[in-house]
Amino acid sequence: MSSNTHAIQGSDPRHPLGIKNGAATFMLALAGLMMANLAPLIITALEGLGLSGIDAGAVLTWGLLASAVVGLGSSRLAAGSRRRMLALAGLAVGTVGFALAAFVSDQSVAVTAFIIGGAGVGAAISTSGAAIAALRNPNRVSAMSGIINRILVMIVLAIIPIMGLSQVNVFGALAVISLLGFIVAAWLPDAPEHAAPVDVTQSLKIAEPRRITWAGIAILIVFPLWGTSEDAIWTMAGVLGDSVGLAPAALGTALSAAAGGGLITMLIVLIAGKKLGRAVPLALALALGGVLKIWVGFTADPTTLAWLIILINTVYAFAFSLFIATAAGLDARGRWSAPLSGAYLVGSSFAPLIGAWLIETVDISTFCLLMGIVSFIVIVPTVIIARVSVSAERALEREHAAAHRTNATVNTNPAGVTND
């Protein structure tokens, strides 16, 4: 086999996706975001401890914020050589915290243990985000992570209500998932060698280290801002449905269908991979999502609203996976993808409060208009960030291919012998 062929095969220094590193990355992503996914069940379990609905919501918010803060605060460690150690420590705390919350009868102890458990799985948020950046084809990996996450969440959401929405079952499920993450955390992929932008981007102006840094900072602002507008619509779906006479059963059907639609669009990203790109599809998704959110506020037909909810979440899932891929493409060490989900959770934690406040302060039409405008505002910065991300990824591959060719030349002619 020629050295050129070797160079082509070795053009991407990121690790190939395998069973072990995939299981670790995806399981930790599930553990890190499971609290948000089980939010309605957690509130029910907290109410079972004697908390009011408002107090239960406040406890959940504190738990999510604890995860977000730890995810953000540990992102530098997650992007370095102590990634596995961080994940193991965080998931150990998460497992113990949620287990105590599941079996302790004292209300204050259970609540404290729950929040501590939430802080622990914050490490899973940062380490799984960094791990995605270490694997080849961030588009495909982020989409696969989203698909697996949604499928497993759907299974958990189906099983727990059958078993009963008790303290033991809900918090016990969080403990089991944290424990499974702890078991596979040792398989997390390391950051590729020589992956720092300053080492690989000198030849591409759009991907200079300074631009990558600014793009990374920008995505940590843009992504949570956009995500908050999406989650505000999602969490207010019941209020929106009541305003047009959408029956609870029909709303439930729409929410379930929305999850299925998200799986389909993530599957598109998974299949297309790098060929899909990032800048153009993200711009189209944000524009379409903005139109749909605005439309929600101006429809009085319950059937139309149900379809809009389905379409909004379908487009959201597509854009979400590409945002994760964009952050991963900026730096293979995971410097920006590690804190991304933590930053998102900060906004997500306050989305219900923001949505309720806006609807009460203005009206539903204005609320939806404002949420739609957010999508349009972030289009330009998102496109710029996505272009830098793709260029940074290409620069890393080119540099690695050049180094691979140099090594191949040295190995085939170690003494520097010529024909002269």
Side-chain angles (χ1 to χ4, degrees):
M1 185 178 290
S2 69
S3 62
N4 286 338
T5 304
H6 279 293
I8 293 173
Q9 290 182 345
S11 62
D12 193 339
R14 289 176 166 89
H15 305 289
L17 177 63
I19 294 177
K20 288 186 175 181
N21 59 24
T25 301
F26 302 150
M27 192 67 222
L28 265 66
L30 178 69
L33 297 176
M34 185 53 79
M35 276 203 312
N37 289 316
L38 296 186
L41 308 189
I42 291 172
I43 288 178
T44 300
L46 289 170
E47 288 175 341
L49 284 169
L51 294 172
S52 67
I54 295 176
D55 289 340
V59 170
L60 175 59
T61 297
W62 280 111
L64 291 172
L65 282 176
S67 286
V69 169
V70 172
L72 288 168
S74 63
S75 59
R76 184 176 293 274
L77 280 176
S81 60
R82 298 180 181 179
R83 178 177 300 168
R84 295 188 186 93
M85 185 184 302
L86 172 64
L88 289 168
L91 286 165
V93 172
T95 301
V96 173
F98 290 137
L100 283 174
F103 294 104
V104 173
S105 57
D106 183 86
Q107 182 188 97
S108 59
V109 175
V111 167
T112 302
F114 168 74
I115 295 174
I116 291 173
V121 295
I125 293 175
S126 60
T127 51
S128 63
I132 288 176
L135 299 172
R136 292 177 187 172
N137 202 329
N139 279 22
R140 184 163 291 163
V141 174
S142 64
M144 184 174 292
S145 177
I147 290 171
I148 292 174
N149 186 294
R150 282 182 175 241
I151 290 174
L152 293 178
V153 167
M154 289 171 66
I155 293 173
V156 173
L157 286 173
I159 292 175
I160 292 180
I162 294 174
M163 297 175 61
L165 297 180
S166 65
Q167 171 189 355
V168 173
N169 291 336
V170 176
F171 298 141
L174 292 172
V176 169
I177 292 169
S178 298
L179 178 61
L180 292 175
F182 178 85
I183 292 171
V184 300
W187 294 341
L188 282 171
D190 291 319
E193 294 183 359
H194 310 297
V198 70
D199 297 330
V200 298
T201 59
Q202 299 302 317
S203 62
L204 296 178
K205 288 186 177 181
I206 196 172
E208 289 174 346
R210 183 176 297 177
R211 293 197 181 193
I212 292 176
T213 298
W214 281 114
I217 293 172
I219 199 171
L220 293 181
I221 298 171
V222 168
F223 183 56
L225 178 62
W226 167 79
T228 301
S229 73
E230 297 286 327
D231 285 342
I233 293 286
W234 180 257
T235 55
M236 291 295 105
V239 176
L240 298 172
D242 290 340
S243 70
V244 298
L246 182 64
L251 176 62
T253 301
L255 295 177
S256 298
L263 285 175
I264 293 173
T265 52
M266 284 185 173
L267 186 61
I268 293 173
V269 179
L270 173 64
I271 295 173
K274 288 183 179 180
K275 295 179 182 179
L276 182 65
R278 290 175 196 145
V280 173
L282 269 172
L284 293 174
L286 291 174
L288 178 57
V291 170
L292 293 172
K293 285 187 287 185
I294 292 172
W295 192 353
V296 165
F298 292 91
T299 184
D301 180 58
T303 302
T304 301
L305 178 63
W307 277 106
L308 287 173
I309 290 173
I310 294 171
L311 291 174
I312 287 172
N313 196 62
T314 299
V315 175
Y316 160 83
F318 178 82
F320 187 95
S321 61
L322 286 180
F323 266 115
I324 299 294
T326 298
L330 286 171
D331 191 328
R333 299 169 301 174
R335 183 183 178 191
W336 304 111
S337 57
L340 193 66
S341 292
Y344 178 88
L345 274 181
V346 172
S348 181
S349 300
F350 291 101
L353 298 177
I354 293 172
W357 178 77
L358 283 174
I359 289 176
E360 183 178 346
T361 303
V362 286
D363 55 32
I364 288 178
S365 296
T366 306
F367 159 67
C368 294
L369 177 63
L370 292 173
M371 296 303 98
I373 289 174
V374 170
S375 289
F376 288 103
I377 289 175
V378 301
I379 288 177
V380 172
T382 298
V383 168
I384 295 172
I385 296 165
R387 290 186 64 210
V388 174
S389 170
V390 171
S391 296
E393 190 176 351
R394 289 175 180 170
L396 178 62
E397 292 174 1
R398 291 180 187 180
E399 180 67 18
H400 187 71
H404 200 96
R405 285 193 295 270
T406 301
N407 291 336
T409 301
V410 171
N411 291 334
T412 55
N413 191 16
V417 177
T418 66
N419 293 326
D420 295 338

